[in-house]
Amino acid sequence: MTVAEASQKMDSLRVRHLGVLNDAGQIVGVVSQTSVMERLRPTLLLDEAAREKQTVLGSLHALRAAIDQAGDGIATCDLGGHIQYANRAWAEMHGYSHDKVLGKHLGQFHTADQLRNGGEPDLTLLMRHGSQHAEVGHVRRDGSRFTTAMTTTALRDETGRLSGYIRVAHDTTEARQVQSRLQHSELHFHHILKTTPLTLTYFNTNNQITFHNTHFIKLFNYTQQNIPTTQH
């Protein structure tokens, strides 16, 4: 019960004074509501502070759980580039167990060349702009490499000075593989259109030829130099 709640409780019961009894049950004095509340105040304030602390701890636990379970790799670093915190995704994408990444330098997760190309943030620019975003190469524990879309955000102390930074890395390996397959499929489809025995010509809305295949050239005895660019 808070101080305010205790006061409201006494008000609801219309209690203004309380009798003080001795061991024999005889009234030996009277105390006012104000006196009671003043005596209870330290205990009630401690209880209220304990509840607020529990609420804050619960919120921090929920936030920690959300970060730990995030699909993207998240890590915080001090100004020297050492990992102060990393979630499971960060550890696993680099081939480490969660407890093996704390205290490691960023050089553990990037080659020297990768460090020079975004693996190690420019602290001057980070202080000036607050965040950086780049495509950054990483190296796994087994030596294999992968690329992430990396966002680095400045962490500041109560005076506004740069105290470290947080990094969020999204592994783009799968997206790159999908893009590669799409490009391969597009090239394969283009080859089919080029070599099909059917005569194919595409025009845009201005009657300009945007595509023609090999059979079109042969059918009309064109050469690469005299292929028309518009429809006649």
Side-chain angles (χ1 to χ4, degrees):
M1 181 179 293
T2 66
V3 173
E5 289 170 343
S7 180
Q8 289 171 3
K9 183 67 174 178
M10 294 185 73
D11 285 341
S12 68
L13 296 174
R14 297 175 182 249
V15 174
R16 293 293 179 270
H17 296 83
L18 296 174
V20 180
L21 306 180
N22 62 15
D23 292 340
Q26 299 172 324
I27 297 178
V28 296
V30 176
V31 295
S32 67
Q33 179 191 33
T34 301
S35 297
V36 173
M37 294 308 302
E38 286 302 318
R39 288 180 177 274
L40 287 176
R41 183 177 296 275
T43 300
L44 294 175
L45 287 176
L46 286 174
D47 290 343
E48 188 173 352
R51 281 192 296 271
E52 290 179 355
K53 179 180 179 181
Q54 194 62 36
T55 300
V56 171
L57 289 175
S59 299
L60 289 175
H61 177 74
L63 178 61
R64 176 70 175 266
I67 294 175
D68 277 342
Q69 297 173 35
D72 289 340
I74 301 174
T76 59
C77 302
D78 60 21
L79 294 179
H82 295 91
I83 303 292
Q84 295 180 312
Y85 165 81
N87 68 350
R88 296 187 182 279
W90 177 278
E92 291 172 358
M93 69 168 50
H94 291 97
Y96 292 89
S97 59
H98 187 233
D99 60 336
K100 298 296 184 182
V101 296
L102 296 182
K104 300 292 185 183
H105 188 266
L106 287 175
Q108 192 82 18
F109 313 108
H110 305 276
T111 65
D113 184 59
Q114 290 170 345
L115 281 175
R116 288 190 295 269
N117 289 279
E120 194 164 29
D122 185 320
L123 297 183
T124 301
L125 292 178
L126 190 61
M127 185 66 181
R128 183 183 306 162
H129 300 294
S131 64
Q132 298 173 352
H133 183 77
E135 194 171 73
V136 179
H138 296 247
V139 61
R140 298 185 181 91
R141 187 176 184 180
D142 63 7
S144 58
R145 303 184 183 192
F146 65 102
T147 304
T148 70
M150 175 87 80
T151 298
T152 303
T153 304
L155 295 176
R156 304 175 188 273
D157 61 20
E158 61 276 4
T159 67
R161 296 176 61 183
L162 187 67
S163 60
Y165 46 90
I166 182 170
R167 316 202 83 180
V168 180
H170 178 72
D171 190 342
T172 58
T173 302
E174 185 175 349
R176 284 171 168 267
Q177 291 173 345
V178 170
Q179 184 180 17
S180 178
R181 288 195 294 268
L182 287 174
Q183 289 175 341
H184 177 75
S185 296
E186 184 177 353
L187 289 174
H188 181 63
F189 180 65
H190 189 267
H191 176 73
I192 291 174
L193 293 179
K194 274 287 190 180
T195 59
T196 182
L198 298 175
T199 302
L200 296 177
T201 310
Y202 298 156
F203 300 89
N204 62 20
T205 55
N206 295 321
N207 284 327
Q208 295 175 321
I209 297 176
T210 59
F211 172 83
H212 54 77
N213 67 353
T214 304
H215 198 263
F216 170 82
I217 298 174
K218 292 180 179 179
L219 180 65
F220 295 102
N221 293 319
Y222 288 125
T223 65
Q224 291 293 339
Q225 288 70 34
N226 65 0
I227 296 174
T229 57
T230 57
Q231 185 177 17
H232 297 294

